[in-house]
Amino acid sequence: MAREFDDDFSEFVRRWSPALLRVAFLLTSDRGEAEDLLQTALLKTSRHWDRLADREAAYPYVRRVLVTTHTSWRRRRRVHETLVDQLPERGYGDDSGSLGAGRALQALEQLPPRMRAVVVLRCYEGLSEAETAEALGCSVGSVKSHSSRGLARLRLLLEAPTPAEATR
Amino acid sequence: MNDHDLELALQRDADLVGEPAPDLLDQLSRRRSDQRRQRIGGLAAVAAVVVLAAGVPLGLSAAARSGGPAAEPTTTVSPAAPTSPTAPTPVPTPSAAPATPVPTTASAPATPSGTTAAPSTIPAPPPSAPTSTTTKPTTKPTTAPTPAAPATAGTTDCPSFATLQAAMQAGAPAAADTTYAMDARYYGPVCSGDWAGAGYSRAYTDPATGEVFPDGEAGLFHRVGGRWTLLDRTASCDDPAIPRPVWERACNVD
């Protein structure tokens, strides 16, 4: 069934999908949603694959599709979201220390979608401000603002004691 | 905490997701096939609506030219009771484009970015890249713009623009940073019986920057006890009672 895609695209998927899945996971905090997001981005890319002459640029291209698709989903799904007083429990946090596994992910969840995307692209993917602005389709000034506020908030959240620590 | 610690924490947490499914390519193939099938179904539904919309005025005008419906029996008017000839019933002019709204969101620049060089040729912009329509408001909007209601609906028997607007505003969740409004740009209602699908606009204001992100949204409406309500599409779109054209308009959209 996978023969529906040409060898080049299949090879790209095999090589880069782990890295793209990690970016998707940092954006969504949910394995299922991250896989859905990755598949959607790859499908969108596959439609234009023949026109993507520079294969070296494919990864940034798919990452950009991934981020814009996620932003679009977030806006669309806001209609159906309900605000709650407390965050639901997540399986990945261990609350064992100030930087326990999953703490950064939990902190990321507290950021607005675009700010979160900026932090992920800047800190995890290592993009410059200009590259991040291009990937998100916004101005460099907006990236600077999101980056500065996002990182400050993230540090604050990560340095705060976990609920488990607070009750000790 | 310095930047390096933060990067390490993000890298470690990103690794929690594990590896992609080994049959990822097969899953992609299946999804692509499903999308093709849905697209064909959607085109068939649109074609059916177009044929219907074109057929109704043709039939009515033919009937009007022949002096009335073909099946209508000719009655003899008694000279003792002269009446003026019956004025032909005004024929409603259906809208030219049935039911498919065209969001005016512009695409974001297509140039990929990243640590690698930019591509020499760029494919078409990513299909969903509505970010470039951002506008900087001078004041935070309290209500989204509500253009005048379109004069005609996409299909017959549609509730009025005002009715759907009232239903949408009653059903959309209240949020400080998001406003909802019926919008002629996304409206394009499709109705059948007690069901209606129509578009409306949602404007999200980023609390950090004040930037406004307008976007089109599809709404599913249902009439119960004579009252139209906006339904949660996630929960309601699986209802087999929804007529196919309405489902295509409200549920089978991205």
Side-chain angles (χ1 to χ4, degrees), chain A residues 31 39 60 64 99 149 155, chain B residues 3 12 17 27 109 113 208:
Chain A
R31 159 104 196 182
Q39 288 185 17
R64 185 179 190 286
L99 277 178
R149 291 181 201 173
R155 286 197 184 96
Chain B
D3 288 350
R12 188 188 47 206
V17 74
Q27 289 179 24
S113 68

Side-chain angles (χ1 to χ4, degrees), chain B residues 4-28:
Chain B
H4 183 63
D5 291 338
L6 199 56
E7 282 169 26
L8 286 178
L10 286 174
Q11 279 166 13
R12 188 188 47 206
D13 284 3
D15 289 342
L16 292 174
V17 74
E19 295 301 312
D23 61 343
L24 177 59
L25 277 166
D26 288 337
Q27 289 179 24
L28 287 175

Side-chain angles (χ1 to χ4, degrees), chain A residues 1 5 10 20 22 36 38 43 46-47 51 65 70 73-74 79-80 82 87-90 95 144 148 157 162-163:
Chain A
M1 188 181 266
F5 302 105
S10 301
L20 288 163
R22 281 164 174 72
D36 193 17
L38 172 62
L43 276 178
S46 72
R47 292 186 208 128
R51 283 181 279 161
V65 176
H70 177 251
W73 282 7
R74 287 288 306 178
V79 174
H80 308 299
T82 310
L87 289 172
E89 294 228 353
R90 293 287 193 178
D95 286 348
K144 281 182 180 169
S148 158
L157 290 164
T162 63

Side-chain angles (χ1 to χ4, degrees), chain A residues 79, chain B residues 144-146 161-174 179-183 198-202 217-221 228-231:
Chain A
V79 174
Chain B
T146 309
F161 185 88
T163 302
L164 287 188
Q165 183 168 40
M168 183 274 301
Q169 283 176 338
T179 57
Y180 306 88
M182 294 309 285
D183 188 323
Y200 58 90
S201 75
R202 181 185 60 250
E217 179 74 35
L220 175 65
F221 299 85
W228 285 93
T229 52
L230 175 70
L231 298 182

Side-chain angles (χ1 to χ4, degrees), chain A residues 1 4 22 31 36 39-40 44 60 63-64 75 78 80 99 102 104-105 114 131 134 149 155 159, chain B residues 1 3 12-13 15 17 19 27 29 31-32 36 109 111 113-114 116 128 131 177 202 208 232:
Chain A
M1 188 181 266
E4 182 165 346
R22 281 164 174 72
R31 159 104 196 182
D36 193 17
Q39 288 185 17
T40 303
K44 286 178 175 178
R63 182 180 56 205
R64 185 179 190 286
R75 286 190 208 131
R78 286 185 79 83
H80 308 299
L99 277 178
L105 213 49
R114 178 160 286 229
E131 288 166 341
E134 209 172 347
R149 291 181 201 173
R155 286 197 184 96
E159 284 164 3
Chain B
M1 171 182 290
D3 288 350
R12 188 188 47 206
D13 284 3
D15 289 342
V17 74
E19 295 301 312
Q27 289 179 24
S29 296
R31 279 183 69 158
R32 192 188 235 188
R36 279 200 193 118
T111 310
S113 68
T116 55
S128 67
T131 52
D177 56 2
R202 181 185 60 250
D232 179 343

Side-chain angles (χ1 to χ4, degrees), chain A residues 42-54:
Chain A
L42 287 171
L43 276 178
K44 286 178 175 178
T45 305
S46 72
R47 292 186 208 128
H48 309 293
W49 186 255
D50 291 341
R51 283 181 279 161
L52 193 63
D54 183 359

